[in-house]
Amino acid sequence: MDVNIDMCQNGSMSNVKALPLLEPEAPEAVVPCCPPLTERPLTADEAEKTARMFKALGDPVRLRLFSLVASHEGGEACVCDISDVGVSQPTVSHHLKKLREAGLLTSERRGTWVYYRVEPSVVAAMGQMLGTLD
Amino acid sequence: MDVNIDMCQNGSMSNVKALPLLEPEAPEAVVPCCPPLTERPLTADEAEKTARMFKALGDPVRLRLFSLVASHEGGEACVCDISDVGVSQPTVSHHLKKLREAGLLTSERRGTWVYYRVEPSVVAAMGQMLGTLD
DNA sequence: TCGGTGCATCGACATTCGTCGATACAAGAC
DNA sequence: GTCTTGTATCGACGAATGTCGATGCACCGA
């Protein structure tokens, strides 16, 4: 089970080159998806894509991890800063991977530590579907 | 409105008697939940509650059903109007129940048919959690 | 009263998911 | 080099989830 690469908007320019290790596959770019949910019914394809983003926030541990990153000073957080959510370290890592694969977080290794930050455009897209951001 | 919705995690089964009609749980209790995800880390309890709403939209079929109701003329839709999403009738019913339990939809029987409509405050609350990211 | 239609529930099944300990890998300190 | 710390992956397990056909209940028309 892997993520398939979706080209679109993978910031070809300002993107920091990741070190050779992490991020073997690009977190798919999910941004340009769908209109507000009230505008028209979603197609099956649109629903499939979008559901992945909502599902990523549909777990309590992931939601806490996400809000820990989102609310962390500087807009980013080292894993060590946020790993106290009551589950084991492998589980934290697993959930962070899910959030990355859904496009909600990005990660970058700097020295010993790995820093996560929110991908604002994806979150904005979700908000827009719910109708509050227009 | 007096019933509460607060079925926490254990109530997957018989928290509701099959009474003469639908609408076992009241909408309305999920609203005053949480601040924007960027404001501060969610507590475990907040995350538990909120994750249920996101999880409800985390399935492609449910997302389509939701958008079918949300975009339907008049703000509501009979089940018969939206049940063509490629799964069986019991499955549609099951998903609509999940959306009801999450507080995202309400239902009302009128004669032969059952009508679903979006609970706007709950959806607004979700949007608000995502909305102020920048 | 009876038959038909719309929707919900039940019971069963396969698949996915969340979790863990064990282990592997990366980087820095020594 | 070796040791230690931070993070990811692996393999396994039980629990939850999505799906279906069969069935039950509510309503309405004849």
Side-chain angles (χ1 to χ4, degrees):
Chain A
M1 54 189 56
D2 293 354
V3 205
N4 44 7
I5 326 270
D6 195 341
M7 49 295 141
C8 284
Q9 105 77 241
N10 197 2
S12 40
M13 37 184 183
S14 68
N15 209 347
V16 214
K17 191 73 167 313
L19 300 179
L21 338 163
L22 291 183
E23 233 166 20
E25 80 285 334
E28 52 203 305
V30 224
V31 183
C33 185
C34 309
L37 290 172
T38 50
E39 191 175 304
R40 58 162 176 77
L42 264 55
T43 67
D45 265 6
E46 290 171 336
E48 197 88 34
K49 277 184 193 169
T50 311
R52 276 200 287 268
M53 309 190 301
F54 283 106
K55 188 182 333 194
L57 294 184
D59 177 87
V61 173
R62 279 197 295 272
L63 201 50
R64 289 187 76 189
L65 289 171
F66 184 84
S67 80
L68 278 162
V69 172
S71 65
H72 201 266
E73 134 185 66
E76 66 180 8
C78 166
V79 177
C80 58
D81 291 327
I82 62 177
S83 43
D84 191 21
V85 288
V87 295
S88 69
Q89 178 268 322
T91 301
V92 169
S93 196
H94 167 74
H95 284 306
L96 289 173
K97 181 180 184 179
K98 288 294 195 78
L99 289 166
R100 254 189 298 135
E101 289 174 348
L104 298 177
L105 294 181
T106 58
S107 66
E108 179 193 2
R109 177 184 284 273
R110 289 207 294 274
T112 305
W113 298 280
V114 176
Y115 290 84
Y116 281 79
R117 56 172 56 241
V118 172
E119 184 60 51
S121 59
V122 178
V123 179
M126 294 177 66
Q128 212 167 345
M129 296 190 67
L130 294 173
T132 29
L133 270 193
D134 54 331
Chain B
M1 336 301 195
D2 41 15
V3 202
N4 67 4
I5 186 176
D6 185 302
M7 69 293 251
C8 284
Q9 56 219 13
N10 56 355
S12 30
M13 291 179 59
S14 53
N15 68 333
V16 179
K17 277 11 179 76
L19 279 175
L21 38 105
L22 302 177
E23 199 163 47
E25 70 285 318
E28 195 249 313
V30 214
V31 183
C33 181
C34 308
L37 290 172
T38 49
E39 192 174 303
R40 59 163 174 77
L42 266 55
T43 68
D45 266 6
E46 290 170 336
E48 197 88 36
K49 277 184 191 168
T50 310
R52 277 201 287 268
M53 309 190 302
F54 284 106
K55 185 176 347 187
L57 294 183
D59 177 87
V61 173
R62 280 198 294 272
L63 201 49
R64 289 186 76 189
L65 289 171
F66 184 84
S67 80
L68 278 162
V69 172
S71 65
H72 200 266
E73 136 184 65
E76 65 179 9
C78 166
V79 176
C80 57
D81 291 327
I82 61 178
S83 43
D84 191 21
V85 288
V87 295
S88 69
Q89 177 269 320
T91 301
V92 169
S93 197
H94 168 73
H95 284 306
L96 288 173
K97 181 180 183 179
K98 287 295 196 79
L99 288 166
R100 255 189 296 134
E101 289 175 347
L104 297 177
L105 294 181
T106 59
S107 66
E108 180 192 1
R109 176 183 285 274
R110 287 208 292 276
T112 305
W113 297 280
V114 177
Y115 291 84
Y116 281 78
R117 57 171 55 241
V118 171
E119 183 59 50
S121 59
V122 179
V123 179
M126 293 177 66
Q128 210 169 349
M129 296 188 67
L130 299 172
T132 41
L133 280 172
D134 52 335

